[in-house]
Amino acid sequence: MFTVLNRLDLNYLHEALVIGLFEKNKQLDGLAREMNELLDGQLMTLLKEGDISAKKKAVTKVHTLGKINVKRLYFVGLGKEENLTFEVLREAFGKLFKTVKDAKLTKIVVALDTFTGGKVDYNEAAHALAEALPLATYQFAGYKQKSNEPEKKIEKVVVYTQGAQEEVQASLTVGYVYGNATNSARTLVNLPGNMLTAADLANYAVELAKKYDFDYEVLEKEDMEKLGMGAFLAVNKGSTEPPKMIVLKYQGKETWENVIGLVGKGVTFDTGGYSLKPRESMVDMKTDMAGAAAVLGAMEIIGELRPEQNVVAVIPATDNMISGHAFKPDDVITSMSGKTIEVKNTDAEGRLILADAITYAKHHGANYIIDVATLTGGVIIALGNHTTGAMTNNEPLFEQLLEASAETGEFIWRLPITEKDKERVRNSKIADLNNSPGREGHAIMGGAFLGEFAEDTPWVHLDIAGTSVTSSAHDLGPAGATGVMVRTLATFVERFA
């Protein structure tokens, strides 16, 4: 996909050359100035007249009309050089690649050095470029009949740079892995519920394990009954699809210690059970396994990059359906931990399956736990659709995750869990816990409930209900699943200390 060269060879024809452009009082420098000279000053004229823009994320195409061995020049506006950041650059590349894809070009040359400046060096620019390419050009295939017109996509990117070629190539590789793994998660989330059952999710995880030589385990219903996973099994009672508890283990150290547990909610479709969702709220509940997808995407990156860490991924997979066997409000169930739970809301099912999954992650030696889930509508009311909610029992662990999220541009915001919140989830006259103590602070109640099962293990809960999907296309992808937290989890694992 990527070739790194230290000079631009104009002795043969290029389909397209991409140049970054900073706002510098209508001046051209570096490669842009060279191109301007070869084109008899026409680029400067276009810049002065506003036909080429250096404004942030502006993309301008200029045809050279055979005057040089480059058919098309693409100028990408970067704004003021001092304001350039990795996130701005990644989005600018995303807009570029969408434009190039629409033009049906298969090969381009990028002058990487023209995209460095501000807070961005060669390696960061390379990572941003390679990550943006798969993210921006992603499209869920769907099930429509295909056109006879052959599909064209970007197949090769030649990167021209004076930077250290091996380092730039490594950054390109890492960025591309991050982008592709995020797309893998997007595809899982976009799949309809009848195309992605718990068994399908387990099969996908097993194939991932075989590809990357992970140890794996898939618990069947009988195994869960023996282990006493009553919370998980209660949610599955209304389903005709058997539940699966999926475990992937990556050992990057000699001994199985300092183990990071990644736990992802895998509800493949959520009706709400007997606390039935209204019709409008039930549409798109195929996406209720986005936490599981995020964990699997992160494991794909871990498999590719092989960090020196130990990781266990645990995914409870089931749907939440209605039948004569389904669990009901007022039922009392017993979790794997032994704690009893009074069910006040069967639509608060995610925290029930995660309760047993967190306990099982500890059973597999997890010393730290990050759980990821589309857990509550309340987090959307609190934080909107661009911010993931977070709760924790361990400040240093949360700070490491916060740094990873800042690095990847996946913003998270911490919500509090107070003693009063803990008292609310413990407020049941007949059981240890209440799975839904009321609408007030509902997102916090979900986190506080899960904290009862993390207990003293350092733990962070991520509620991605608002960030797992988007209703509109953006610079780094289409409407639909976002693959949120794939890159944050992987970065957290790589940087973990």
Side-chain angles (χ1 to χ4, degrees):
M1 172 60 75
F2 298 101
T3 301
V4 181
L5 301 175
N6 60 13
R7 67 183 184 87
L8 177 64
D9 188 352
L10 291 176
N11 291 320
Y12 65 95
L13 186 64
H14 300 284
E15 288 292 316
L17 171 62
V18 181
I19 299 172
L21 209 58
F22 289 108
E23 291 180 344
K24 291 185 177 180
N25 301 319
K26 300 294 184 181
Q27 295 297 315
L28 294 173
D29 57 15
L31 184 61
R33 186 173 64 239
E34 291 179 31
M35 293 295 109
N36 181 58
E37 292 170 357
L38 290 172
L39 293 171
D40 303 322
Q42 291 301 307
L43 295 181
M44 181 60 77
T45 300
L46 292 172
L47 182 67
K48 287 180 178 178
E49 294 180 353
D51 293 306
I52 295 176
S53 175
K55 290 183 178 179
K56 187 169 65 176
K57 298 196 291 185
V59 177
T60 309
K61 179 172 70 173
V62 176
H63 287 279
T64 64
L65 303 176
K67 290 188 175 183
I68 58 175
N69 271 343
V70 178
K71 283 188 178 181
R72 308 162 187 84
L73 293 171
Y74 283 93
F75 292 97
V76 179
L78 301 175
K80 297 184 185 300
E81 183 172 356
E82 61 270 22
N83 295 334
L84 184 66
T85 63
F86 177 88
E87 187 64 21
V88 168
L89 184 56
R90 196 167 62 117
E91 291 181 359
F93 275 130
K95 192 168 181 182
L96 165 74
F97 287 127
K98 279 178 175 280
T99 304
V100 171
K101 180 186 176 184
D102 290 342
K104 294 183 168 30
L105 299 182
T106 60
K107 181 179 177 181
I108 62 172
V109 179
V110 178
L112 187 70
D113 298 5
T114 64
F115 291 91
T116 60
K119 299 177 182 178
V120 179
D121 61 20
Y122 295 104
N123 295 329
E124 289 170 322
H127 184 122
L129 181 154
E131 190 175 291
L133 173 55
L135 290 178
T137 58
Y138 171 80
Q139 188 171 359
F140 180 62
Y143 304 97
K144 292 184 177 182
Q145 292 184 348
K146 299 295 185 288
S147 167
N148 291 327
E149 184 180 348
E151 184 180 350
K152 289 188 175 181
K153 60 182 182 179
I154 302 168
E155 296 174 353
K156 187 169 185 180
V157 178
V158 178
V159 176
Y160 157 60
T161 179
Q162 296 299 311
Q165 290 189 43
E166 288 186 4
E167 291 183 11
V168 169
Q169 185 68 63
S171 295
L172 289 167
T173 299
V174 171
Y176 199 57
V177 165
Y178 268 56
N180 280 329
T182 303
N183 286 348
S184 296
R186 284 172 165 176
T187 296
L188 287 172
V189 177
N190 285 329
L191 284 168
N194 62 327
M195 301 290 187
L196 188 74
T197 64
D200 294 325
L201 198 59
N203 291 338
Y204 179 93
V206 169
E207 289 304 310
L208 200 68
K210 290 178 179 178
K211 179 177 181 180
Y212 295 115
D213 197 28
F214 299 150
D215 290 335
Y216 67 90
E217 174 187 57
V218 178
L219 296 185
E220 303 295 341
K221 185 175 182 178
E222 297 77 15
D223 303 315
M224 299 175 209
E225 288 170 344
K226 291 176 183 176
L227 289 167
M229 294 182 176
F232 184 16
L233 289 169
V235 176
N236 179 255
K237 283 179 69 176
S239 179
T240 58
E241 294 288 342
K244 307 286 180 180
M245 182 70 86
I246 304 161
V247 180
L248 302 179
K249 296 173 81 170
Y250 165 77
Q251 186 164 345
K253 298 180 178 180
E254 288 187 11
T255 56
W256 189 248
E257 58 186 10
N258 292 323
V259 180
I260 301 167
L262 303 179
V263 180
K265 175 186 171 184
V267 175
T268 58
F269 193 86
D270 182 19
T271 66
Y274 275 110
S275 303
L276 190 67
K277 294 179 183 290
R279 176 176 59 83
E280 296 83 0
S281 299
M282 205 183 301
V283 175
D284 289 332
M285 277 298 103
K286 65 179 184 179
T287 66
D288 210 18
M289 38 61 65
V295 168
L296 290 170
M299 292 303 289
E300 181 177 328
I301 295 173
I302 290 164
E304 289 281 352
L305 303 183
R306 317 301 291 187
E308 293 183 5
Q309 304 287 358
N310 292 329
V311 183
V312 58
V314 180
I315 295 169
T318 181
D319 49 16
N320 183 23
M321 307 296 284
I322 295 175
S323 78
H325 299 287
F327 78 135
K328 312 171 296 299
D330 291 337
D331 282 359
V332 173
I333 56 181
T334 305
S335 67
M336 184 185 178
S337 71
K339 292 179 181 179
T340 56
I341 304 162
E342 182 181 11
V343 177
K344 286 300 184 183
N345 182 0
T346 63
D347 195 23
E349 87 297 333
R351 66 199 68 180
L352 297 177
I353 70 172
L354 287 170
D356 282 345
I358 288 171
T359 301
Y360 200 54
K362 293 195 291 183
H363 173 81
H364 275 281
N367 304 106
Y368 312 90
I369 292 174
I370 312 293
D371 82 75
V372 195
T374 47
L375 203 71
T376 65
V379 79
I380 304 175
I381 302 301
L383 300 177
N385 292 311
H386 303 291
T387 305
T388 292
M391 281 152 268
T392 188
N393 65 2
N394 187 278
E395 189 72 32
L397 184 68
F398 174 74
E399 287 297 327
Q400 289 201 52
L401 190 66
L402 186 64
E403 288 177 13
S405 74
E407 188 171 331
T408 59
E410 296 183 321
F411 192 54
I412 64 177
W413 188 261
R414 182 178 173 183
L415 298 172
I417 297 177
T418 67
E419 288 302 316
K420 292 287 186 183
D421 299 320
K422 295 176 184 178
E423 288 174 10
R424 286 181 67 192
V425 299
R426 294 169 185 164
N427 182 21
S428 169
K429 294 179 180 179
I430 59 174
D432 297 318
L433 302 171
N434 174 347
N435 85 319
S436 186
R439 291 175 60 85
E440 300 86 357
H442 188 57
I444 293 173
M445 292 304 99
F449 182 89
L450 294 177
E452 295 294 309
F453 298 89
E455 298 175 313
D456 295 330
T457 303
W459 155 81
V460 178
H461 162 60
L462 296 172
D463 193 337
I464 59 171
T467 53
S468 60
V469 295
T470 179
S471 59
S472 57
H474 50 100
D475 291 330
L476 292 167
T482 62
V484 73
M485 288 298 129
V486 168
R487 292 171 294 113
T488 294
L489 292 178
T491 301
F492 167 79
V493 169
E494 284 192 273
R495 304 279 194 273
F496 183 71

